[in-house]
Amino acid sequence: MDMSGPLQHFRVIIYHDLHLGPVDLSISNTAVYMWVAVIVIVLGLHLMMRRPQLVPGMGQLIAELLYDFVARQTRLNIHGEGERYIPLMFTLFTFILGCNLVGLIPGAFTPTSQLAVTGTLAIGIFLYAAGLRFYRHGWGFFHAFAPQGVPKIMLPLMVPIELLSFFARPVTLALRLFANMTAGHMALGVLAVLGLAAPWFLQWLPLGFTVIQIGLEVIIAFIQAYIFVVLSCVYIDDALAEH
Amino acid sequence: MPQFDTTFFSSQIFWTIISFVVLYVVLGKWILPRIANTLNQRTQLIKDEIDAARHQREEVEEIKLDYAEKLAHIDDEAKKLFEESERRIIERRGKLMDEWKVEMERKTRDFHEEAEAARLKAISDIRAQSADLIVDAAEKVIHQRIDKREAQIALEEAIEALEKKPEKRG
């Protein structure tokens, strides 16, 4: 591995060309590792919950803790109607977490380090929340951009700010996850390269840091999935609330 | 950075949507209901046990209150029980006395009847013996001529015999 290695890790490799007319639907490493994540999540949860019992075993306990954690965050952030969105939020959480963690396997690829992937998820949530707001409030949808109680003279300033903050949501959501995953894996790559390039008596230093960094990456993988889900809940709650 | 290369965006977007939807359907259909159901069952079980424990606690509190109340009124209760026992003893004694009186009356009546019967029998016996005596005396008067002195002796003998007769009978 040379010093350009850290960026090579994010290169998309096409395994199988697939085109639907002009649209490219090729199967790349992004798709394959997303499938790996999905299969691991489904198989893992299925095995953990194979024989559910009232007094849970270790696997069942982990699955229940994961579900309870997401369910509690959803109920907490979507006031009154959280129960309905638990399946969506649980899927979102496990999908992002799976994609984040699958990249930590040596030689594997991180789907969430791709802007197209995080952008799709972020725009999907943004469009869903916007559609929900329009469905609930009709043309009242636009009231949120002119908050009540604001003096009319301030409206020319407030409305653009509100619009900007509204449309910035998917961008920040996508960039945060993408940037965190990219930065983490880049740091890991740099440390690994440094470890290999260092004289033999100093190699323990960067390689030791790599171990710490991997532990940190696992925590970051959880935190980023959590942040994405919590913000998605906040956007949906905002869409449901009266303005 | 390779992530900004738009060449692969369409395929990445497509497979992201497909993967997410597949995961959503599979989790929503098979996995999540199982987890939610288990959690609900456990919650219900815990709730039931808490309810049962609360119910038992309430019962204990009730019994405790009842006991305290009884303890507070135990003197009255004891007095009441003592009076009740005394009343029962008096009643029993009265009943026994009545029975005894009836028995005694019956025995007295039997005794009087028996005495009367004995008296009547004695009178009857005396009459019978007097008749024998008269017959004996008459026979002696008819078969021999006796003077006054002999008659006196005969009478005395007869009376003597009469006195001896009951002894023999008895």
Side-chain angles (χ1 to χ4, degrees), chain A residues 6 8-12 15 28-37 95-118 177-186 188 217 220-221 224, chain B residues 3 12 16:
Chain A
Q8 288 299 310
H9 177 75
F10 305 109
R11 207 162 57 82
V12 178
Y15 295 143
S28 62
N29 51 358
T30 313
V32 169
Y33 282 99
M34 266 194 294
W35 297 343
V36 170
F95 184 75
I96 294 170
L97 183 65
C99 288
N100 290 349
L101 289 177
V102 81
L104 291 175
I105 301 166
F109 182 80
T110 314
T112 38
S113 67
Q114 297 298 308
L115 189 59
V117 174
T118 59
L177 182 58
F178 152 75
N180 270 284
M181 288 302 108
T182 303
H185 285 78
M186 273 178 79
L188 268 176
E217 276 299 299
I220 289 169
Q224 287 308 314
Chain B
Q3 291 102 317
Q12 284 181 319
T16 302

Side-chain angles (χ1 to χ4, degrees), chain B residues 28 31 66 94 98 114 117 147-148 153 163 169:
Chain B
I31 310 285
D66 197 34
D98 289 347
E114 277 172 17
D147 56 14
K148 199 178 176 183
I153 291 164
E163 281 174 351
R169 280 179 193 169

Side-chain angles (χ1 to χ4, degrees), chain B residues 63-96:
Chain B
I63 291 167
K64 211 171 143 185
L65 277 175
D66 197 34
Y67 180 71
E69 203 177 323
K70 272 187 182 166
L71 213 62
H73 295 98
I74 200 147
D75 286 345
D76 293 347
E77 198 77 15
K79 199 178 168 190
K80 220 183 274 177
L81 283 173
F82 180 75
E83 281 170 2
E84 179 72 13
S85 303
E86 199 177 23
R87 189 183 59 75
R88 276 193 204 152
I89 288 165
I90 290 167
E91 267 179 24
R92 179 82 183 139
R93 194 182 63 183
K95 201 177 166 188
L96 285 173

Side-chain angles (χ1 to χ4, degrees), chain A residues 10-31:
Chain A
F10 305 109
R11 207 162 57 82
V12 178
I13 301 163
I14 300 294
Y15 295 143
H16 181 72
D17 265 327
L18 188 68
H19 286 83
L20 195 71
V23 185
D24 177 22
L25 302 178
S26 300
I27 296 167
S28 62
N29 51 358
T30 313

Side-chain angles (χ1 to χ4, degrees), chain A residues 159-211:
Chain A
V159 171
I161 290 173
E162 286 291 334
L163 278 170
L164 195 67
S165 99
F166 182 70
F167 287 110
R169 284 173 179 183
V171 179
T172 55
L173 208 54
L175 280 179
R176 187 183 298 108
L177 182 58
F178 152 75
N180 270 284
M181 288 302 108
T182 303
H185 285 78
M186 273 178 79
L188 268 176
V190 169
L191 282 170
V193 169
L194 276 176
L196 292 174
W200 65 268
F201 58 92
L202 278 179
Q203 279 184 347
W204 63 273
L205 204 63
L207 290 177
F209 273 120
T210 310
V211 174

Side-chain angles (χ1 to χ4, degrees), chain A residues 7 10 12 14 24-26 30 34-35 42 45-46 49 52-54 56 60 64 67 87-88 90-92 95 113-117 120 178 182, chain B residues 1-4 7-20 22-28 31-32 34-36 38-39 41-42 45:
Chain A
L7 280 179
F10 305 109
V12 178
I14 300 294
D24 177 22
L25 302 178
S26 300
T30 313
M34 266 194 294
W35 297 343
V42 170
L45 287 174
H46 174 71
M49 294 303 295
Q53 287 170 347
L54 281 180
Q60 189 186 337
E64 286 178 3
Y67 178 85
L88 177 67
F90 188 82
T91 309
L92 198 60
F95 184 75
S113 67
Q114 297 298 308
L115 189 59
V117 174
T120 305
F178 152 75
T182 303
Chain B
M1 287 179 87
Q3 291 102 317
F4 294 112
T7 318
F8 309 109
F9 271 22
S10 60
S11 71
Q12 284 181 319
I13 290 166
F14 176 75
W15 290 116
T16 302
I17 292 168
I18 295 295
S19 305
F20 187 83
V22 167
L23 184 65
Y24 179 74
V25 170
V26 172
L27 288 183
I31 310 285
L32 294 185
R34 228 184 299 169
I35 300 176
T38 310
L39 286 174
Q41 273 183 355
R42 191 176 304 132
L45 185 78

